[in-house]
Amino acid sequence: MSSNRGVAYAGPGRVEVIDIDYPELVLKDGPGVNPANVGRQVPHGVVLKVVATNICGSDQHMVRGRTTAPTGLVLGHEITGEVVEKGRDVEFLEVGDLVSVPFNIACGRCHNCKSGKTGICLNVNPDRPGSAYGYVDMGGWVGGQAQYALVPYADWNALRFPDRDQAMAKILDLTMLSDIFPTGFHGCVSAGVGVGSTVYIAGAGPVGLAAAASAHLLGAAVVIVGDLNKERLDQAHSFGCEPVNVADGDPRDQIEQILGVPEVDAGVDAVGFEARGHGGGSAAREAPATVLNSMMDVTAAGGAIGIPGLYVTGDPGAVDDAAKEGALSIRIGLGWAKSHAFTTGQCPVMRYHRPLMKAILHDRVQIAKAVNATPITLENAAQGYAAFDKGAAHKYVLDPHGLIGSA
């Protein structure tokens, strides 16, 4: 049996690369595994040799200690890999296939999956609808920031790349299909972005940058990106976005300077529950409802707001007791008065990943360049997490077997 190494949460602010079990076609007990899932047989699964696996802002929330994640939880839900073993019930994948894995695990059998709502599958997480690899309260499926990973319901979940050599040549782009590219795209589609739209995207982290690239792909006329981090705003500006530094104050006035009017057609919240107030100094303290309220302020009446940014039901480090349970002071009356539409929740990756794959393979988008994809070794994961936490304008891609460098 092969050995395996993975990135594990080691307490607030810390991750460690440790020896972990090589995947078998059964879900075993371990940190974060729901007891009702222990022993679950996975004859429909495959074992992947991980080619690329990315550090995500959602992982960073856990590593900061902002969730109830247990120590020892193996992290990582953005997985691209090569099939090295398949279960007896896998019909349409073969050993050697190179595949992208949606971060949300779906059975393909329940009502929600059959309706295309793969982000809220009813059968993979005993706690609630929806599941993901390596994430707190998501059923306990082991994370993919590792050398090898198990993927259940593989015929349904995995997206096979049609040509291995072509895929490896674009692997830094294709690895974004597991999460942030579809997630950013979903935020824009939910917000009604189309040809000629004006768009405001809050957050210039990887999801915000992916949303900005998606807005361009969808035909937006002007894409405005707001953040407190100048380096990340410079990254957004590098591919044609209009940057707004919210450290300078409310984005409404800056939007008016760009557009001539203080409102946009569509808004995307790519920040989530660790949002900070607008303005410099003490004004930039954590204020988790800030982005949602500003979105309602700057989105025109009749517009829509996509919310791919993560919001949680349990946040031990929140600024007040209400926020610790996910209860925020939202100006819902403003949204109601302006007839806004809101779309929240996990992106149903399978709705988008195949057409986005084609857009990458046929050079319609350069998503790796937009998010500044930066490969690092698995053993350097802790340094990647630390740099990302400090606001580095990079999307760190872990390369567990050195295959990205060789490509």
Side-chain angles (χ1 to χ4, degrees):
M1 180 179 292
S2 298
S3 61
N4 196 14
R5 302 266 290 164
V7 181
Y9 173 58
R14 294 191 302 120
V15 298
E16 295 177 347
V17 181
I18 61 174
D19 293 326
I20 61 175
D21 290 340
Y22 184 83
E24 298 180 35
L25 298 176
V26 59
L27 185 54
K28 296 183 176 180
D29 198 7
V33 179
N34 189 295
N37 259 353
V38 174
R40 185 168 181 163
Q41 298 297 309
V42 191
H44 40 68
V46 297
V47 174
L48 296 185
K49 179 179 181 179
V50 177
V51 173
T53 177
N54 315 325
I55 296 175
C56 180
S58 299
D59 300 318
Q60 197 73 64
H61 291 308
M62 287 189 291
V63 173
R64 290 181 185 134
R66 296 299 297 266
T67 71
T68 56
T71 58
L73 181 74
V74 178
L75 303 168
H77 54 270
E78 302 187 13
I79 309 167
T80 304
E82 175 190 351
V83 177
V84 293
E85 181 183 347
K86 53 183 277 188
R88 68 171 187 269
D89 294 342
V90 177
E91 294 186 69
F92 304 112
L93 293 174
E94 300 297 338
V95 170
D97 285 344
L98 193 62
V99 301
S100 175
V101 181
F103 77 89
N104 28 39
I105 304 167
C107 72
R109 296 151 165 80
C110 71
H111 170 75
N112 283 348
C113 283
K114 290 180 178 181
S115 301
K117 301 172 183 176
T118 54
I120 43 174
C121 174
L122 300 174
N123 288 333
V124 286
N125 181 1
D127 280 334
R128 62 174 65 89
S131 187
Y133 303 89
Y135 211 83
V136 59
D137 296 331
M138 287 292 187
W141 300 92
V142 179
Q145 286 175 14
Q147 294 172 318
Y148 296 91
L150 171 67
V151 176
Y153 304 102
D155 279 329
W156 170 250
N157 284 302
L159 173 67
R160 185 177 66 83
F161 300 138
D163 182 276
R164 183 186 180 88
D165 291 340
Q166 181 191 32
M168 287 303 299
K170 293 180 176 292
I171 195 64
L172 283 177
D173 294 281
L174 293 170
T175 189
M176 303 306 160
L177 291 173
S178 57
D179 183 353
I180 66 164
F181 192 13
T183 293
F185 195 84
H186 178 61
C188 289
V189 170
S190 301
V193 177
V195 175
S197 297
T198 57
V199 188
Y200 176 60
I201 297 167
V207 170
L209 295 172
S214 299
H216 284 143
L217 188 61
L218 288 163
V222 183
V223 180
I224 303 169
V225 179
D227 205 292
L228 292 157
N229 182 315
K230 184 180 183 303
E231 183 183 356
R232 289 181 170 182
L233 288 173
D234 288 344
Q235 178 63 24
H237 186 61
S238 74
F239 63 96
C241 302
E242 297 286 345
V244 163
N245 194 329
V246 297
D248 296 333
D250 193 290
R252 186 178 177 91
D253 294 337
Q254 297 181 68
I255 290 171
E256 185 170 20
Q257 292 174 18
I258 295 167
L259 297 178
V261 293
E263 293 181 323
V264 294
D265 301 318
V268 178
D269 173 5
V271 177
F273 73 103
E274 287 192 67
R276 294 185 175 274
H278 299 147
S282 61
R285 294 193 188 99
E286 187 168 318
T290 297
V291 172
L292 290 172
N293 288 331
S294 70
M295 278 294 165
M296 289 182 275
D297 188 37
V298 304
T299 301
I305 300 170
I307 310 173
L310 176 68
Y311 289 88
V312 295
T313 57
D315 176 9
V319 294
D320 55 51
D321 288 340
K324 288 179 181 179
E325 297 181 348
L328 309 181
S329 298
I330 305 298
R331 293 186 64 194
I332 193 65
L334 176 61
W336 190 94
K338 296 178 80 172
S339 295
H340 285 153
F342 300 83
T343 300
T344 66
Q346 288 188 35
C347 164
V349 170
M350 294 178 68
R351 187 179 300 172
Y352 307 108
H353 66 173
R354 188 176 300 277
L356 293 179
M357 174 187 73
K358 294 178 182 178
I360 289 169
L361 294 177
H362 294 284
D363 299 316
R364 301 302 300 170
V365 65
Q366 293 182 304
I367 188 64
K369 183 177 179 180
V371 303
N372 199 13
T374 304
I376 60 175
T377 67
L378 184 72
E379 299 298 330
N380 284 333
Q383 292 94 313
Y385 270 97
F388 188 37
D389 192 48
K390 292 177 181 177
H394 296 268
K395 175 66 172 177
Y396 289 105
V397 179
L398 301 178
D399 183 7
H401 294 280
L403 296 172
I404 297 174
S406 65

